[in-house]
Amino acid sequence: MPRPYEFRDAEDLAIHLRKFSNQLRECFNGRHESIEDAVYASVGGNTFRSFRYLPYKPSAVFREWAISKFKREDTVNTLLQISSQLQYDEWIKKLSVSLNTSWKRKMGENNPLSYGPRRKLPNLLLKQLVLWKGIKKTQRKRLLGFLHVPLDRYTLVSIRNCLDQNHGSNKVCRIPKNPTMGFVKNEGIYNEIQNAMRVIAKRAGVPPIFLDVLAWDSSH
C-alpha cells in the first residue's frame, strides 16, 4: 500500500488543492449507467479488510443495503431536493443509521458497525452516486459541494497537521501518526475533522470531496 502524504499545514494543503484542482475535477467527469454500477464502484475489497469473523461477507451486506435503499424513489427524491449543507449533514447522518440498522439485522446485534466505518461507507457511496446518470448536471454540481470526506488512514494523515492552523477548528481531537478509520469514535471527532476540511477547501476554492481525491485517488 502507498504511504499517505502528510501536508505540512492547512496552507500547504490548500495550495495543493488549488494547484491540482483541474485534475481533481476530472475524477467526477465519468458517469455510472445505473445505481448498481455506482454502488459496486464505491467500495473495494480493501475497504473491508479489517472486518473479520462475521457471518456474511461485509461487501455483500453493504451492497445489498445500498442498492435496496437507493432503488427506492423516495430516497433519491429526498437527496435531490437537498439545498443546504445543514440538510445534507442531517440526511447523510440518518443514512449511516440506516446502514447500521441493516448491518445489525444481517450480522447480528453483537456485530454493529463502529462509528468510523458507519460514517465512512455512506460517504464512499455518495462519492460515486453523484456520478449516476439519473442525476442532472445542476443537481450534481450542488451535491458535490455538500459531500463529506470519507475518513480513513489517507485522509486523516493528510490533515493531521492542519487542525491547529484551521480557524474553524475547536481542537476536539489530535490525529495520531498512524490513524485508522476506527480513530473516528464519535460525532464530535467526525464533525471537527469535516469542518476543518471544509474551511481549507473553501480557502482553496474547491469542494471538500476534492481533498479525498487528492489524498486517496491520487496516491493509488
Side-chain angles (χ1 to χ4, degrees):
M1 293 287 286
R3 185 179 179 83
Y5 184 82
E6 189 171 335
F7 294 94
R8 292 192 306 274
D9 51 33
E11 183 57 28
D12 183 38
L13 177 51
I15 288 171
H16 278 78
L17 287 169
R18 282 194 296 267
K19 181 178 180 180
F20 298 106
S21 60
N22 289 335
Q23 294 95 312
L24 299 174
R25 197 175 305 277
E26 288 177 1
C27 290
F28 296 96
N29 288 342
R31 296 292 176 264
H32 294 301
E33 293 288 337
S34 67
I35 287 174
E36 288 88 347
D37 290 340
V39 170
Y40 273 84
S42 66
V43 293
N46 59 315
T47 306
F48 295 99
R49 195 169 44 232
S50 61
F51 293 81
R52 300 173 185 271
Y53 312 115
L54 293 170
Y56 297 96
K57 190 175 181 180
S59 58
V61 173
F62 169 75
R63 287 164 179 158
E64 180 183 1
W65 164 80
I67 292 171
S68 174
K69 189 73 174 176
F70 282 91
K71 279 292 188 178
R72 292 173 50 181
E73 189 174 341
D74 61 329
T75 302
V76 175
N77 286 343
T78 301
L79 171 64
L80 298 182
Q81 290 169 11
I82 291 174
S83 59
S84 71
Q85 185 67 63
L86 181 60
Q87 284 181 326
Y88 182 83
D89 293 348
E90 288 300 315
W91 180 85
I92 195 71
K93 181 179 176 181
K94 289 178 181 177
L95 192 67
S96 73
V97 172
S98 170
L99 169 59
N100 190 45
T101 300
S102 179
W103 183 278
K104 288 191 295 183
R105 188 182 302 122
K106 190 76 174 180
M107 298 295 198
E109 288 291 329
N110 294 328
N111 295 310
L113 275 173
S114 58
Y115 191 86
R118 190 188 313 170
R119 300 307 303 262
K120 177 187 174 181
L121 291 171
N123 290 335
L124 287 173
L125 174 61
L126 267 294
K127 181 183 173 185
Q128 294 298 324
L129 197 72
V130 294
L131 305 182
W132 172 45
K133 282 190 172 181
I135 296 178
K136 296 178 182 178
K137 183 177 180 180
T138 53
Q139 295 168 331
R140 181 177 297 107
K141 182 178 180 181
R142 182 176 70 251
L143 289 173
L144 270 175
F146 298 151
L147 296 184
H148 289 195
V149 178
L151 300 180
D152 58 18
R153 178 169 173 249
Y154 287 83
T155 51
L156 290 171
V157 167
S158 72
I159 201 172
R160 69 179 300 271
N161 293 326
C162 305
L163 296 184
D164 288 346
Q165 292 85 19
N166 170 40
H167 297 301
S169 172
N170 293 319
K171 301 180 183 178
V172 170
C173 62
R174 185 171 294 279
I175 299 172
K177 290 184 177 181
N178 295 299
T180 65
M181 60 181 172
F183 166 75
V184 185
K185 298 181 186 298
N186 56 55
E187 190 170 353
I189 293 174
Y190 179 85
N191 288 338
E192 167 70 3
I193 296 172
Q194 294 292 339
N195 289 336
M197 290 176 167
R198 286 175 192 166
V199 171
I200 295 168
K202 184 176 181 180
R203 188 186 306 179
V206 300
I209 194 64
F210 279 23
L211 195 152
D212 181 59
V213 180
L214 181 65
W216 169 260
D217 299 72
S218 299
S219 62
H220 286 74

